[in-house]
Amino acid sequence: QVQLLESGGGLVQSGGSLRLSCGASGITLADYAIGWFRQAPGEDREREGVASIASRDNSTYYKQFAKGRFTVSRDNAKNTVYLQMNNLKPEDTAVYYCAADRSDTRTVVSVRLKGYDLEYYGKGTLVTVSL
């Protein structure tokens, strides 16, 4: 049984940093592209892509709001993918999810444009950024 588990969320002040982790059981994350997504509080808020990292060459993609502030990376020895978030803003408040897919293309398209459901999703970790 495959499980993805996010951790590292919490309450942080504006301008602070958090590092989210995405660990897995049942799969080797090095074989998968990983996408990070978030969903802000509110009934009408949709999940949006944040960043991705490819399996083939570890190339990364960031949505505009994440560029320069967020960094996605892997530690294959720990079977973990990280999302380092710096200079956090109140509008970054959301539940953050990681997702895994064997296709690099599907993953980056899903982060950029939505549309694809990736193979595996975690349950998310809440990030709250206060003023």
Side-chain angles (χ1 to χ4, degrees):
Q1 183 179 2
V2 175
Q3 288 188 319
L4 298 183
L5 181 63
E6 302 91 341
S7 61
L11 175 64
V12 63
Q13 288 187 329
S14 182
S17 298
L18 286 173
R19 188 178 75 162
L20 305 184
S21 299
C22 174
S25 59
I27 58 172
T28 300
L29 291 184
D31 297 332
Y32 287 77
I34 304 299
W36 284 96
F37 300 84
R38 68 184 187 181
Q39 186 169 15
E43 292 183 357
D44 297 330
R45 301 301 298 271
E46 295 186 348
R47 187 177 65 198
E48 66 174 340
V50 177
S52 66
I53 184 166
S55 60
R56 180 174 55 88
D57 58 3
N58 285 333
S59 57
T60 56
Y61 169 81
Y62 299 93
K63 293 293 284 287
Q64 185 62 40
F65 66 81
K67 288 181 180 178
R69 299 191 299 132
F70 295 3
T71 303
V72 59
S73 62
R74 295 180 183 270
D75 185 337
N76 291 336
K78 294 183 178 180
N79 203 29
T80 300
V81 173
Y82 301 102
L83 182 67
Q84 176 68 43
M85 304 188 296
N86 298 328
N87 191 22
L88 284 162
K89 305 174 182 181
E91 53 263 41
D92 294 317
T93 295
V95 176
Y96 285 72
Y97 303 85
C98 63
D101 197 281
R102 288 190 177 272
S103 168
D104 290 347
T105 300
R106 283 167 52 91
T107 301
V108 70
V109 170
S110 183
V111 169
R112 290 183 65 182
L113 301 172
K114 307 175 187 177
Y116 287 116
D117 283 333
L118 304 182
E119 291 183 64
Y120 305 107
Y121 287 85
K123 294 184 177 180
T125 185
L126 176 62
V127 171
T128 304
V129 185
S130 63
L131 290 169

